[in-house]
Amino acid sequence: MASWLRRRESLANFDLYLKWVAEVELSVEDEDQEDDEANDEDESGRQAAADPVETDTDDAPSPSAVDARYTIAKRAPFPSVSVHSLEADFGANDFLFHLHNFLAANSMVPNNFNDISATFSVYKRVRIKIPAVVQVSLHDIDDVVRATRPIEARALKHRVPAHFDTILGYLKETDRPTKRLRLVPGRIRAIFALPIEYGEYSVPLAYIEWFRPLNSFDKTLAMFKVTPAFRQQARHASIVPITQINRSCHLIPKFPPKVDRTLTADDVLERVTEFYLNPYLRHIDFVLLRGVRK
């Protein structure tokens, strides 16, 4: 009887702990959103100066912008971003090449593709809904994924670095229902809507630089080892619907014995060649990443 009571007490305490963690994560997310909104005001001011045409930057979702798997702003804060800006400011290299590949995969390539000079509506973030995990929560978890270009210092404002989140996603839409090991780490460079000049596509798109699949596992650290993926001596990248993004993730750089002190948060993902996929970022990540191996 005493053992039974101890177990019941342990279960009750653990339940209280999970509720506390959920509240802490929610408060941290709210703080991050407030910081983002403050930065958004600065970035919107810069965009207004560069582009005369500016739409409402309200991030509240509209019914047409809500899907069971994601939530995004009803209007893109930057409605007229050029291909040059996507490549230079966002790091979306060979953007038109990857756009052509996406359109070809969906049988949407227009006959005048090379003659189109449209601009793109670019978003700052998307909120991915992670399905509830019974070991952690009974409710879906909102996960914010951001892709914002740097904002240079001006007047009394400090420079705001670029923020390109790392994610776990699927290379192909057909990979979604399969094993969790089909998830591939990536770095999101831009979130945008397909201009009508290229055709109609209801779901926003994302330009993602991919890392290699989760095939290497460090048994000592109990973490997956991750390295950048290359194709034809260039970073492997592709444009995919945002529904192929599963969640954000955290990559820990594997530093050599002597660390280069010139590394910064802005360039560490480009200059370091090996990483560990952190399973301790959130409880849901621990369940996923430590549960995929027996």
Side-chain angles (χ1 to χ4, degrees):
M1 185 66 181
S3 298
W4 182 84
L5 288 174
R6 283 197 299 271
R7 291 169 185 159
R8 294 290 296 178
E9 184 179 3
S10 298
L11 288 172
N13 289 336
F14 187 66
D15 184 59
L16 291 173
Y17 168 72
L18 289 178
K19 292 179 180 178
W20 173 78
V21 168
E23 292 175 358
V24 169
E25 290 180 348
L26 182 61
S27 63
V28 170
E29 181 179 309
D30 291 340
E31 291 175 1
D32 289 343
Q33 185 171 357
E34 290 176 2
D35 293 340
D36 289 341
E37 289 173 355
N39 292 336
D40 290 348
E41 293 178 0
D42 295 339
E43 193 170 357
S44 298
R46 170 185 150 177
Q47 179 70 11
D51 300 323
V53 179
E54 177 70 38
T55 62
D56 184 10
T57 60
D58 185 7
D59 279 347
S62 65
S64 61
V66 178
D67 182 274
R69 292 166 287 179
Y70 70 90
T71 306
I72 200 165
K74 59 186 177 183
R75 295 184 181 89
F78 306 115
S80 56
V81 178
S82 66
V83 172
H84 174 75
S85 178
L86 284 167
E87 293 182 342
D89 298 330
F90 290 84
N93 298 322
D94 298 321
F95 181 83
L96 288 179
F97 169 79
H98 294 296
L99 179 62
H100 187 278
N101 287 345
F102 170 79
L103 295 175
N106 289 273
S107 303
M108 296 174 56
V109 180
N111 295 329
N112 62 335
F113 178 86
N114 294 327
D115 298 326
I116 297 175
S117 59
T119 56
F120 293 79
S121 297
V122 176
Y123 299 91
K124 299 172 184 174
R125 65 179 69 86
V126 60
R127 192 179 299 269
I128 304 296
K129 293 187 180 296
I130 305 176
V133 178
V134 294
Q135 297 94 327
V136 177
S137 172
L138 298 178
H139 306 285
D140 292 347
I141 298 173
D142 287 342
D143 186 17
V144 177
V145 176
R146 292 171 287 183
T148 58
R149 62 189 179 186
I151 305 174
E152 299 303 327
R154 57 185 178 85
L156 300 178
K157 300 291 185 179
H158 294 288
R159 180 182 183 273
V160 178
H163 196 118
F164 301 115
D165 279 337
T166 49
I167 57 95
L168 290 176
Y170 302 94
L171 290 172
K172 300 178 181 178
E173 181 67 20
T174 53
D175 289 342
R176 295 191 71 256
T178 59
K179 298 179 182 179
R180 288 171 288 182
L181 282 176
R182 290 293 182 93
L183 287 169
V184 179
R187 188 185 191 191
I188 188 165
R189 285 289 190 174
I191 305 168
F192 62 96
L194 184 69
I196 192 63
E197 290 87 346
Y198 292 102
E200 293 186 9
Y201 200 85
S202 59
V203 179
L205 306 176
Y207 179 105
I208 300 176
E209 288 179 343
W210 297 104
F211 293 82
R212 295 181 62 83
L214 302 177
N215 296 327
S216 180
F217 190 77
D218 188 308
K219 294 183 179 179
T220 302
L221 297 176
M223 295 184 186
F224 286 99
K225 292 190 289 187
V226 177
T227 56
F230 290 86
R231 285 190 176 180
Q232 298 179 351
Q233 299 182 343
R235 280 300 303 270
H236 178 205
S238 65
I239 291 175
V240 300
I242 60 173
T243 51
Q244 288 179 221
I245 300 173
N246 180 270
R247 67 186 66 196
S248 63
C249 70
H250 178 218
L251 299 181
I252 304 172
K254 181 182 178 181
F255 294 110
K258 185 176 181 180
V259 179
D260 186 350
R261 295 190 178 185
T262 64
L263 286 172
T264 66
D266 290 348
D267 60 15
V268 66
L269 286 172
E270 286 87 11
R271 297 173 59 187
V272 176
T273 58
E274 192 170 358
F275 303 85
Y276 293 108
L277 180 56
N278 184 5
Y280 305 106
L281 179 62
R282 297 162 298 204
H283 290 80
I284 51 173
D285 300 311
F286 183 85
V287 172
L288 173 74
L289 299 173
R290 296 295 290 273
V292 296
R293 299 184 66 88
K294 296 182 180 180

